[in-house]
Amino acid sequence: MQDYISRAEKVMQRIEQLAAISEDAEGVTRTFGTDAFLRGRDLVQSWMEAAGLSTRTDSIGNLCARLSSRNPAAKTFVIASHIDTVVNAGKFDGPLGVLMGLDLLEQLAQQTTDLPFHLELIAFSDEEGVRFHSTYLGSKVVAGSFDPSLLDRADAQGITLAQALAKMGADARRLAQDAIPAEQWLGYFEAHIEQGPVLWERHIPVAVVTAIAGQQRVELQWRGMAGHAGTVPMDMRQDALCAAAEFVLAAEQFGQANKEKIVATVGKLQVSHAASNVIPGEVICSLDLRSADAARLASAYEELRQLAQSIASRRRVQLGWNAVQQTAPVACAPALSQQLSQAIAGAGHEVVELVSGAGHDAVPISAVAPVTMLFIRCYKGISHNPLENVELADLAAAIEVSERFLMELKINN
Ligand code: HGY
Ligand code: MN
Ligand code: MN
């Protein structure tokens, strides 16, 4: 087997090549279904085919490569992550798991021994949910939990998901058929950067993920009364931006006061018809609420909704509270995670267990299959930021651990 550093160098080169494909002149942005997304997917598909893997794209734009067992009745083990990104993203969030997986399948494709299971590598098409404000579109199709009503959801340009799929040449009538039937699943493995500071602080290359936090994402509309900045007295205003701004700080204070269990973020704030001499009449903002504790997530959601309503009432502003996305916390499969921990220890690393505050495609998959995730240390835990980075030695460690894990899986099945 080639040494892990040289394999890591090849994965790094591919991560860099993929990162050079972007919707924007500056930074990495490849949101679902855009031309840049399709060019990036084509590049990954060319690497898969060069490795001798059979490939296909499914009805939601996922890219799949397969190593089949000679036993047609064998179950399917999936290695995956996503190739869509947030706006002005880092290079590693998603592509690292896909391109590391491609390295693992390339090695296996060169071996003559048969696999006791079918091995599917999937590059999911929309984990971040940036374009249509609904995450996990790709993995939900594979898990069989895609909600067809989302086909009518429109992006900022008014293009529906159905229209975007048609433009990509994807056949939305096949969405239900493209699920892997629950009884066929053997399991799921995803390698992903930690996107947090623990491994960086502790100088440890990898960790096993025990659970993935639940999320509530909300869009809030604040409707006051637009007015002349020079003529409306301060005590007669219904200023939508001041109401939203008060909520932004209140959400932060709420998160600070409950930081053991939750995180609360307002990442988007849009002032409609903004002008310096107009009292804002309408503002839209987001709320992203997370917790690994389902009960605490639900109570925090209700507390923040009441807080927003009290701010709106006091300021004589109308509040629209639109729940955009809700995912419960999920636990990774203890048996698979135990095998992954053994692979980490076998490669000579301390075994660290972490809960993921970030969502991952493993979330919808966990409803139909046992899932396990490997975290890889990233620079200061920074992610969703062009400063996102991974050291070559850590990537090499992750490849070795993943290969050990897969070899164990072959022996045990
Ligand atoms: O937002 C998240 O948790 C992930 O990056 N989709
Ligand atoms: Mn990700
Ligand atoms: Mn992300």
Side-chain angles (χ1 to χ4, degrees), residues 129-191:
V130 170
R131 183 172 174 188
F132 291 100
H133 308 299
S134 179
T135 60
Y136 311 141
L137 292 183
S139 40
K140 281 180 177 172
V141 165
V142 173
S145 57
F146 177 79
D147 172 4
S149 70
L150 287 172
L151 289 167
D152 299 328
R153 188 168 285 189
D155 67 7
Q157 282 67 44
I159 298 169
T160 66
L161 175 56
Q163 289 165 332
L165 289 174
K167 184 167 181 290
M168 292 161 68
D171 180 359
R173 292 166 304 178
R174 291 190 44 80
L175 285 164
Q177 291 122 287
D178 281 338
I180 296 178
E183 66 278 4
Q184 263 187 25
W185 283 90
L186 176 62
Y188 174 90
F189 171 74
E190 180 168 1

Side-chain angles (χ1 to χ4, degrees), residues 193-201 376-385 387-389:
I193 51 171
E194 179 200 342
Q195 299 177 300
V198 174
L199 294 177
W200 176 262
E201 296 294 333
I376 292 103
R377 180 166 68 158
C378 60
Y379 173 67
K380 293 186 179 175
I382 294 171
S383 182
H384 286 190
N385 180 322
L387 291 177
E388 198 176 88
N389 197 25

Side-chain angles (χ1 to χ4, degrees), residues 11 14-15 18 44 47 94-104:
V11 172
R14 287 176 166 175
I15 287 172
L18 182 55
V44 176
W47 290 330
L96 179 141
V98 172
L99 296 172
M100 246 187 68
L102 178 52
D103 166 78
L104 296 167

